[in-house]
Amino acid sequence: MVETGAATSGQEKALDGLESAEAARRLEIYGPNELPSQRRTPAWRRALKAAGDPMALLLVVASATYLILGDRFDAWVTGLALAPIVLVSLVLEGRADRALDRLKRLTAPTAIALRDGREVTLSSTQIVPDDVLIVKEGDVIPADGLLLRGSQLMLDESTLTGESQPVAKDAVEDGAQRVLWAGTTLRSGRGTMIVTATGARTRHGAIGTLLSTIEAPPTPLQRTVRRFVTQLGVVAAISCVAVVAVDLLRGTAWPAAVIAGVSLAMAAIPEEFPMVYTLYLALGAWRLARDEALIRKLPSAETLGATTVICTDKTGTLTLGRLDVAAVEPAQGGVLRAALLASEETPFDPLEQAIERAARAADGAFAFAPLLRSYAFDPRAKYVSYVREEAAGTRIYAKGSVEGILDLTAPPPAQRARVEELNRRFAARRMRVIAVAQGSIARSTDRAADERALQFVGLLAFSDPIRPGVRAALDECRRAGVRVIMLTGDHPQTAAAIAVALGFDIEGVGAVASGERIDAADDAALADLAAHASVFARTRPEQKYRLVKALQARGEVVAMTGDGTNDAPALREADIGIAMGQRGTEVAREAADLVLLDDDFTTIERAVRDGRRIFDNLKHAFSYLLAFHVPLLISALVLPIAGAPLLLLPVHLVWLELIVHPTSSLVFEADPPDADLMRRPPRREGAGILRRGEFARPLALGTTLAVGVLALYLWQWSQGVPVNHARAQALCALVLGQVLLVVVERAPEQPFWRLPLRTNVTLIVVVLAAVASLIVLVYVPLAAAAVQFEPLRLGDWGVGLAVAALATLWHEPAKAFRGARGAAAGTGAG
């Protein structure tokens, strides 16, 4: 850890921070401000992992067996096949890593530092010892340091100490009250600090380094994929042992029996499934980032498609969040001045920024009176107050909810009735309304005594236009079976007026509920309330947490938006926590699964759409992989038992793997979303990628392709056709069948001719490459010798294509008939 003396010397200098050159020098010495677990896996480790792939290990066994048999040519061919297998794995894994690296850079936390005498925003990883940082409410402290300026800062140090009570920090004190620890949260206040330690040398870093050895538990879908692969692996192992045993009992030499067993294992082991799953999530997350939605936790991309309820803040998400003072009542009563004096001098909140703009426009020479005391926001009555020392004496100013200020100031009944009527009128015009109060005090003592002097001054009404496109996005969510609940701190009448403008159905009893009802309800009553309410008004951040729990108790998959520090518990509890990127605090972003770069609800709708697309593409890829493995497994299992020559040698399986890897990894991921993607209900949470009934089609297609290919091979072999010729023709049919399987699996519910190839350029490239590789292996003498093929005649190609088409396209007329019948039924219903 850097000595505190370095920080003390920094205090003696003017607070202009480090020079850029010095900061770069220190970054070289101390390294990035990050934990070791955040650094990328070296390339040599990734290569070693790829070389340990089951397919690679089986190739080593096959190559060694060929050497024992004395077949050096096949041994060399099989050994050299290791290179493309490892290379393809590295390329595809590298593509996923690059997508994740880009996401990591986009989601990296930032800090405000003083460099070269001016404020700059930089990545937290660039912070070095002796950097001077400006910290504000909602920030996560990025490094250990000492507070140089600021008083009455409240820090949440529970991440280090487990103590939930905020800790006060003050620059004028000595000892622990000046120390700021990395990883803690600034709950309130603003200050300037000097950095004393970064990265693993911080107190938080020491704990984080220990935690880096702990892996996060797998998601339900990850467990499903692992279980599926394990089950197939067990079946493959048992089948391999059986094939080897049968061959040995039949008197086959043990090296040949081992080759048969290795071929079966290579055909059966579905090592592509985990790789495809990870790659699709990574590339889907990068596509979401281009749509202004940053996935911070990769498995959340799979959960988006299952979302059933979105709880969204109104201000800044459904509306533009660009508040402007639209009305002042009374116009000449000093309301604007009092409201400004009840605000921060450098406001962060959009409402206070609107007050400042309006007040400065009315009085450009306005100057803040010195602040004596500020009283924190009262979450119940929803107001804040400030005590200031003015030339005429000590005065207190307050602003907040109309109800809270009226209760606090207790005006005469006639005035109260008039204020409430004005509030209703403003609310009916979809305006947000606050009340303002002020008073004179002899001497500031405590909050209760000071606020007894407050007298009602007037009202401020703010306009906040609805975001373009939000109404259409809400309608799209409803058509997709996703319910949207609006949350706001506004008066119920204001909330209702905005809800009507956005198309919410608020006609039913309890459709608009208040935060008070959340407080009054027990868990069962709140679950019932959440089932019927479309709008919650006068809500507080801490009530969001209970609302999430209530909805989840009803079996809902909940997405919750938030931007403040107090929203963090609800964001963590929600199935999808969504933080605002522009106005959200660092705490909210750290707690969230998804960060909206533009704070726009339409981005949430696009994210749900993309989440469904990711899942659909995964389903198509897994169906294809399942159908792909069936003929390989059946041929590798049946032929040794039948006593026929092997159709698939290890080198053929490597070639097929080089076709299937890019096909499953790139083709389906590049497919556009289905037209009815947002017309379906959300998928059930916890459901596997393929439902029980959805296994039947790929298994049937794979089986018919296997039957067709084996029938062609065995018939030609029985007719005395040379094995190499029969093998070439059978594999021609198999590869063409695999190409047709890709086309079929792109559209499981409609005939392939209704999904044009031009919508997926990757498919065209991969298909042409597969067919070209087949032609090379059949007609180039050296390649044909390596794979034990003989050249085919034109008629042989025709037979192979016919077998492939009959074996894979037999289901297409049924899909066309089913689609036509569904369209006719829809027309009749219309």
Side-chain angles (χ1 to χ4, degrees):
M1 182 177 292
V2 180
E3 296 295 329
T4 306
T8 305
S9 66
Q11 298 173 55
E12 296 169 356
K13 302 183 294 183
L15 290 180
D16 55 1
L18 295 174
E19 294 182 356
S20 296
E22 176 62 18
R25 188 185 73 83
R26 293 182 183 227
L27 189 62
E28 286 289 327
I29 296 173
Y30 297 105
N33 180 36
E34 61 183 5
L35 303 184
S37 61
Q38 296 172 310
R39 292 169 190 169
R40 188 173 176 177
T41 305
W44 66 269
R45 283 192 180 180
R46 297 202 302 277
L48 195 61
K49 179 182 175 183
D53 181 89
M55 182 68 70
L57 295 177
L58 288 169
L59 282 174
V60 172
V61 173
S63 182
T65 306
Y66 278 128
L67 279 175
I68 293 172
L69 288 170
D71 190 344
R72 293 183 179 276
F73 181 76
D74 281 342
W76 274 104
V77 169
T78 307
L80 289 173
L82 271 172
I85 287 290
V86 172
L87 183 62
V88 167
S89 297
L90 282 175
V91 167
L92 293 175
E93 184 180 340
R95 188 179 183 195
D97 282 346
R98 286 193 298 275
L100 291 174
D101 284 345
R102 290 194 292 265
L103 286 175
K104 183 178 175 182
R105 287 194 295 271
L106 287 172
T107 58
T110 59
I112 299 174
L114 294 175
R115 293 274 178 91
D116 301 316
R118 59 189 179 87
E119 292 185 10
V120 295
T121 300
L122 43 76
S123 169
S124 293
T125 60
Q126 303 300 305
I127 293 171
V128 296
D130 274 351
D131 252 331
V132 176
L133 308 179
I134 295 171
V135 291
K136 60 184 183 301
E137 180 179 339
D139 282 353
V140 175
I141 305 300
D144 287 354
L146 293 177
L147 189 62
L148 300 181
R149 288 180 180 172
S151 61
Q152 297 184 346
L153 275 69
M154 300 303 293
L155 271 292
D156 179 356
E157 296 184 345
S158 58
T159 53
L160 293 178
T161 65
E163 184 62 48
S164 60
Q165 291 297 319
V167 179
K169 301 288 182 176
D170 201 312
V172 299
E173 301 291 339
D174 289 324
Q177 285 190 295
R178 289 187 60 201
V179 179
L180 303 182
W181 301 110
T184 60
T185 303
L186 183 55
R187 300 293 296 272
S188 65
R190 182 184 177 95
T192 304
M193 64 175 286
I194 189 166
V195 174
T196 58
T198 59
R201 291 175 293 277
T202 64
R203 186 176 173 186
H204 176 259
I207 299 172
T209 302
L210 176 63
L211 291 176
S212 68
T213 62
I214 303 174
E215 293 187 7
T219 67
L221 198 55
Q222 287 173 321
R223 287 195 293 270
T224 299
V225 172
R226 290 179 186 177
R227 184 167 60 248
F228 180 61
V229 171
T230 301
Q231 289 169 347
L232 288 183
V234 170
V235 171
I238 294 172
S239 301
C240 287
V241 172
V243 164
V244 172
V246 168
D247 268 5
L248 291 175
L249 289 174
R250 190 179 278 127
T252 305
W254 73 264
V258 169
I259 290 294
V262 168
S263 297
L264 176 57
M266 292 177 67
I269 293 176
E271 84 286 350
E272 308 97 345
F273 284 85
M275 181 269 293
V276 168
Y277 171 78
T278 302
L279 180 65
Y280 274 37
L281 290 187
L283 296 179
W286 176 242
R287 190 167 54 245
L288 281 164
R290 290 187 311 210
D291 282 340
E292 306 293 329
L294 293 182
I295 290 285
R296 296 191 67 257
K297 300 166 186 175
L298 195 59
S300 301
E302 81 184 39
T303 311
L304 276 168
T307 301
T308 60
V309 176
I310 300 172
C311 298
T312 177
D313 291 322
K314 174 196 70 89
T315 303
T317 307
L318 298 176
T319 64
L320 287 171
R322 194 176 61 229
L323 293 173
D324 288 305
V325 175
V328 181
E329 182 63 37
Q332 304 299 325
V335 180
L336 267 177
R337 180 180 183 277
L340 186 58
L341 289 169
S343 305
E344 292 286 336
E345 294 188 27
T346 54
F348 176 74
D349 181 79
L351 185 138
E352 292 190 348
Q353 291 175 347
I355 293 172
E356 183 183 43
R357 287 195 303 272
R360 297 290 184 193
D363 181 7
F366 178 87
F368 276 94
L371 179 66
L372 294 181
R373 187 173 293 182
S374 63
Y375 295 117
F377 181 76
D378 185 326
R380 296 285 177 180
K382 297 183 179 299
Y383 72 91
V384 66
S385 58
Y386 290 74
V387 180
R388 297 186 181 275
E389 187 64 51
E390 298 186 305
T394 305
R395 292 183 64 79
I396 181 170
Y397 299 90
K399 71 176 189 305
S401 71
V402 176
E403 307 96 302
I405 295 295
L406 285 175
D407 290 343
L408 189 65
T409 57
Q415 184 182 9
R416 184 183 185 109
R418 181 174 177 277
V419 169
E420 289 174 343
E421 176 59 26
L422 282 170
N423 186 29
R424 283 191 290 271
R425 290 180 186 175
F426 287 137
R429 293 162 57 189
R430 304 202 301 267
M431 291 185 180
R432 182 177 181 181
V433 187
I434 66 168
V436 182
Q438 64 183 10
S440 298
I441 54 179
R443 183 171 60 88
S444 179
T445 54
D446 58 62
R447 181 166 194 167
D450 290 353
E451 290 180 348
R452 278 196 290 270
L454 285 169
Q455 294 182 335
F456 188 86
V457 175
L459 300 178
L460 287 179
F462 300 81
S463 64
D464 186 10
I466 292 172
R467 281 184 180 271
V470 162
R471 175 69 184 261
L474 287 167
D475 291 341
E476 190 76 347
C477 286
R478 294 175 189 121
R479 284 191 289 268
V482 180
R483 182 175 161 226
V484 181
I485 297 175
M486 185 178 85
L487 309 175
T488 177
D490 289 345
H491 187 278
Q493 287 180 301
T494 304
I498 294 171
V500 169
L502 289 169
F504 283 87
D505 181 8
I506 60 170
E507 295 300 321
V509 176
V512 179
S514 67
E516 292 177 353
R517 291 188 64 185
I518 297 178
D519 289 335
D522 59 19
D523 290 345
L526 182 56
D528 185 63
L529 178 64
H532 299 96
S534 299
V535 178
F536 284 90
R538 288 293 191 231
T539 54
R540 304 189 307 275
E542 55 269 26
Q543 292 172 328
K544 290 182 176 181
Y545 177 84
R546 286 198 65 206
L547 189 57
V548 168
K549 297 287 288 183
L551 288 165
Q552 289 174 333
R554 296 184 58 84
E556 306 285 5
V557 179
V558 184
M560 172 67 77
T561 69
D563 55 13
T565 301
N566 291 340
D567 289 326
L571 295 177
R572 283 199 183 94
E573 186 62 32
D575 299 282
I576 295 287
I578 304 174
M580 302 300 112
Q582 294 181 355
R583 55 190 170 84
T585 62
E586 188 63 41
V587 176
R589 291 194 291 268
E590 287 289 326
D593 305 289
L594 182 72
V595 178
L596 301 185
L597 294 181
D598 56 4
D599 295 5
D600 191 341
F601 181 84
T602 60
T603 303
I604 301 178
E605 183 268 327
R606 290 198 303 272
V608 171
R609 181 190 298 272
D610 278 343
R612 292 187 175 194
R613 177 185 175 186
I614 291 169
F615 195 83
D616 265 15
N617 289 346
L618 266 175
K619 180 182 290 190
H620 297 164
F622 274 37
S623 291
Y624 165 73
L625 287 172
L626 194 60
F628 170 84
H629 277 279
V630 169
L632 306 188
L633 179 60
I634 291 177
S635 63
L637 184 62
V638 169
L639 292 177
I641 294 175
L646 289 177
L647 170 63
L648 297 169
L649 301 174
V651 67
H652 301 134
L653 291 164
V654 170
W655 168 48
L656 291 173
E657 285 293 323
L658 293 179
I659 294 174
V660 76
H661 265 90
T663 302
S664 59
S665 302
L666 305 177
V667 169
F668 295 103
E669 200 280 330
D671 263 335
D674 292 343
D676 67 341
L677 191 65
M678 293 296 279
R679 300 293 182 273
R680 312 175 202 155
R683 65 179 175 85
R684 184 171 53 84
E685 187 190 19
I689 291 179
L690 295 176
R691 296 192 297 269
R692 188 167 298 175
E694 291 174 328
F695 279 93
R697 187 190 67 257
L699 287 175
L701 288 171
T703 302
T704 54
L705 181 59
V707 169
V709 169
L710 287 179
L712 177 63
Y713 179 63
L714 290 173
W715 179 78
Q716 291 208 324
W717 177 62
S718 67
Q719 297 300 308
V721 175
V723 171
N724 285 1
H725 186 94
R727 179 181 287 126
Q729 186 167 12
L731 280 175
C732 165
L734 179 60
V735 170
L736 293 175
Q738 297 294 347
V739 169
L740 292 175
L741 279 178
V742 177
V743 176
V744 167
E745 289 301 336
R746 289 180 69 218
E749 304 300 329
Q750 58 180 322
F752 71 88
W753 56 81
R754 291 187 183 161
L755 195 63
L757 291 177
R758 65 176 180 274
T759 60
N760 191 332
V761 177
T762 306
L763 170 63
I764 298 173
V765 173
V766 169
V767 166
L768 290 177
V771 174
S773 69
L774 179 59
I775 293 171
V776 168
L777 293 180
V778 169
Y779 294 113
V780 174
L782 182 61
V787 297
Q788 300 181 31
F789 279 179
E790 285 186 4
L792 298 176
R793 297 179 297 274
L794 184 61
D796 296 330
W797 284 94
V799 171
L801 181 59
V803 169
L806 289 172
T808 56
L809 302 182
W810 54 267
H811 188 50
E812 297 306 288
K815 290 196 294 186
F817 174 74
R818 196 164 54 240
R821 189 173 61 180
T827 303

